[in-house]
Amino acid sequence: MQFQFHPLTRKEATELISWRYDRPLDIYNIKVDTDSLQNTVDFFVDPKNSYFAISSDLHEFTAFCCIGADAQVPGGDYSLDALDIGLGIRPELTSQGLGSPIAIATIDYAKQSFSPQRLRVTIAAFNFRALKVWQNLAFLPVQRFRKQNGGNEYLVFIRNT
């Protein structure tokens, strides 16, 4: 399967905001009220925030990734120089074996576009499927922390490019 990356469009950002995951993955649901909808869309399409749509032959808007500081979770130690990657798959396409192929494509895209020495991902400790995907791609755990304000526990993984 081939994947293509491009900056999120306004249409895709609006669609992304409407994605709804079941528990326990509902922590990834974007909570927006009608008053802040436009600001949220503006944030996702602002090039400085580095959000990208991922399309495939399976679905026009299969997943998204963010590259850089917005992929970090408050409370973690991100002092080591590495490029952060965040990834989200369309809810109805989860549990279909797409995690690894999309993660591999995202790694390749990040390496080609940003030429980092290291890549880093931060994953909720309960998200066993995502943990397995990234560990199978040679990412090694370097940190465990609880999100600021008593939130969920997260693991940080790093891999040299």
Side-chain angles (χ1 to χ4, degrees):
M1 182 176 298
Q2 297 292 318
F3 297 98
Q4 295 79 41
F5 291 74
H6 64 266
L8 272 177
T9 64
R10 297 191 80 72
K11 179 180 181 237
E12 291 162 338
T14 302
E15 185 177 338
L16 170 62
I17 292 166
S18 72
W19 288 3
R20 290 294 171 257
Y21 298 93
D22 293 330
R23 295 193 117 207
L25 300 177
D26 61 340
I27 67 161
Y28 301 118
N29 294 343
I30 300 167
K31 296 158 186 68
V32 177
D33 58 38
T34 52
D35 293 336
S36 61
L37 178 63
Q38 195 60 47
N39 289 338
T40 303
V41 169
D42 290 344
F43 175 84
F44 282 123
V45 300
D46 187 335
K48 73 178 181 196
N49 297 322
S50 298
Y51 277 84
F52 301 91
I54 305 170
S55 58
S56 69
D57 52 347
L58 179 67
H59 202 284
E60 187 174 322
F61 184 24
T62 303
F64 78 96
C65 68
C66 62
I67 297 177
D70 206 50
Q72 299 174 357
V73 175
D77 176 6
Y78 296 97
S79 58
L80 182 66
D81 186 34
L83 182 65
D84 291 285
I85 298 173
L87 181 64
I89 298 173
R90 176 182 282 284
E92 64 268 22
L93 298 177
T94 60
S95 300
Q96 295 186 18
L98 294 172
S100 288
I102 292 172
I104 290 167
T106 303
I107 290 167
D108 290 343
Y109 179 76
K111 286 167 52 175
Q112 291 172 357
S113 300
F114 300 94
S115 303
Q117 298 256 321
R118 284 185 222 73
L119 296 171
R120 179 173 43 219
V121 294
T122 304
I123 303 164
F126 67 80
N127 193 343
F128 298 115
R129 292 185 311 213
L131 293 170
K132 183 178 177 184
V133 164
W134 294 99
Q135 286 176 310
N136 286 343
L137 295 174
F139 279 76
L140 301 173
V142 295
Q143 180 187 165
R144 184 179 205 107
F145 70 95
R146 191 161 295 281
K147 185 176 180 179
Q148 286 178 346
N149 302 323
N152 289 304
E153 192 170 36
Y154 287 84
L155 293 155
V156 177
F157 293 81
I158 289 184
R159 176 183 127 169
N160 291 333
T161 57

